[in-house]
Amino acid sequence: MTENVSQRFSDFDQWSTQAMVDAMYEGQLVAIATIKGALEAIALAAEDAAPRLEEKGRLIYVGAGTSGRLGVQDGAELGPTFGWPQDRMVFCIAGGLKALIVSAEGAEDAFDQGVLEIQEADVNKNDVVIGIAASGQTPYTLGAIKEARSRGAMTIGIANNPGTPLLKESEYAILAETGSELIAGSTRMKAGTTQKAILNILSTAIMSKLGRIYKGFMVDMVVSNQKLETRAISMIEDITGCSTETARTSLKVANKNIKVAVLVSLGETLENSQAFLKKSRGNLRDALALLTSDGNQ
């Protein structure tokens, strides 16, 4: 349906600019609304993905064109936001990473290339592979998903057309049925909007299940500049109630690790703070509970 021509917009190019903009805005709202029917599937996928990714599993994004670029964007943001390790992230985009800035439309037809890239990445049962395709039938993405599933990886398919091969081949099928586009086949519009939103929700839910969010704070955030250092100090203050100076000193002692700094700011040594977090598998909430329990003994 994403390829269908909508009769409503057959004279779109003759509309006033204001009417065009109003119609596109309306389309974006409609697109977001279609995600509601997929929320249960997104939640189930996040629940299953987290245990696989807890220790050594990798997140692998697969797609072509707009879908591939959106996957790369989502994954690239997980490092600075949630401290997700770069070596546990794989991007498979039809045409290679150069397709991020130069279109490589013909590359999406290469089913075998999708298979090959999954093989080269040595995908296994610990990995989570997210395939994204508005049409739900992009050969490159299908090849990758089929190969990944045959290797025992968890597979998630995100598409905008129902009953399509990607959704059938994926262990978890996430459908946002956006219908025809205002410009037929231009899936960077409604379909792309839903894909971005779904990826936002899915990856954030996974990171939360992995303990990388605490009370709404990005406690695994990479402190890489002055702005983020100021934000980190504020986080430590808000979480522990300590002074700004204590938060700043604790962050320095913890080598800019926010979770460790929180425990240090509460009076623990660096070594004990690291030990509590290790025992809690990096979960700050659990580490704080252990600290309280240890203090009461």
Side-chain angles (χ1 to χ4, degrees):
M1 291 181 66
T2 53
E3 300 294 326
N4 290 349
V5 176
S6 172
Q7 291 305 308
R8 177 187 173 190
F9 303 112
S10 60
D11 296 322
F12 180 75
D13 55 299
Q14 296 181 339
W15 292 9
S16 70
T17 304
Q18 187 63 60
M20 288 180 179
V21 170
D22 289 347
M24 287 187 279
Y25 168 71
E26 176 190 312
Q28 296 293 289
L29 296 179
V30 170
I32 289 295
T34 66
I35 297 173
K36 185 174 183 179
L39 295 180
E40 182 177 359
I42 295 171
L44 290 171
E47 287 264 353
D48 195 13
R52 297 200 188 211
L53 297 169
E54 190 167 19
E55 293 186 5
K56 55 185 178 181
R58 295 172 296 173
L59 265 173
I60 300 169
Y61 292 83
V62 181
T66 297
S67 298
R69 296 181 192 102
L70 289 171
V72 172
Q73 180 183 0
D74 188 73
E77 292 172 349
L78 300 184
T81 306
F82 301 111
W84 187 254
Q86 187 63 42
D87 62 356
R88 293 173 63 192
M89 180 77 65
V90 178
F91 298 116
C92 298
I93 179 169
L97 291 181
K98 65 181 181 181
L100 288 173
I101 56 175
V102 180
S103 179
E105 300 299 333
E108 71 176 51
D109 296 330
F111 180 96
D112 291 342
Q113 185 62 30
V115 172
L116 179 62
E117 290 186 27
I118 292 297
Q119 292 173 343
E120 290 178 341
D122 195 22
V123 171
N124 59 67
K125 65 181 181 180
N126 298 309
D127 298 327
V128 175
V129 182
I130 304 173
I132 315 149
S135 68
Q137 55 189 8
T138 304
Y140 171 86
T141 307
L142 280 175
I145 287 293
K146 281 190 174 184
E147 180 65 17
R149 193 164 187 181
S150 74
R151 289 167 164 261
M154 175 183 164
T155 54
I156 303 171
I158 300 173
N160 298 92
N161 288 310
T164 43
L166 178 61
L167 298 178
K168 292 177 181 178
E169 292 291 341
S170 299
E171 186 178 355
Y172 288 91
I174 298 175
L175 167 67
E177 194 172 352
T178 48
S180 60
E181 294 283 359
L182 183 145
I183 303 170
S186 181
T187 51
R188 58 184 287 273
M189 300 292 285
K190 292 195 297 181
T193 294
T194 60
Q195 290 169 9
K196 178 69 172 80
I198 289 168
L199 289 168
N200 282 348
I201 296 167
L202 176 63
S203 61
T204 302
I206 291 171
M207 292 298 124
S208 182
K209 299 298 291 184
L210 289 171
R212 293 174 180 265
I213 301 171
Y214 174 74
K215 290 190 173 182
F217 292 113
M218 301 184 290
V219 287
D220 267 308
M221 177 187 76
V222 176
V223 183
S224 57
N225 59 38
Q226 186 60 53
K227 180 191 75 173
L228 296 179
E229 183 171 335
T230 300
R231 182 185 295 172
I233 291 168
S234 179
M235 280 189 213
I236 298 165
E237 288 181 75
D238 288 342
I239 292 171
T240 67
C242 71
S243 68
T244 301
E245 190 54 41
T246 296
R248 181 179 289 108
T249 300
S250 299
L251 188 65
K252 183 177 181 179
V253 169
N255 195 27
K256 297 187 178 181
N257 183 307
I258 296 170
K259 289 179 176 178
V260 173
V262 166
L263 300 183
V264 169
S265 72
L266 291 171
E268 282 298 326
T269 64
L270 174 62
E271 293 74 17
N272 284 347
S273 298
Q274 292 170 331
F276 275 122
L277 278 167
K278 184 176 181 180
K279 190 173 182 180
S280 304
R281 305 172 75 88
N283 188 299
L284 180 58
R285 187 178 294 277
D286 292 346
L288 288 168
L290 278 175
L291 178 63
T292 301
S293 174
D294 184 72
N296 289 334
Q297 292 178 353

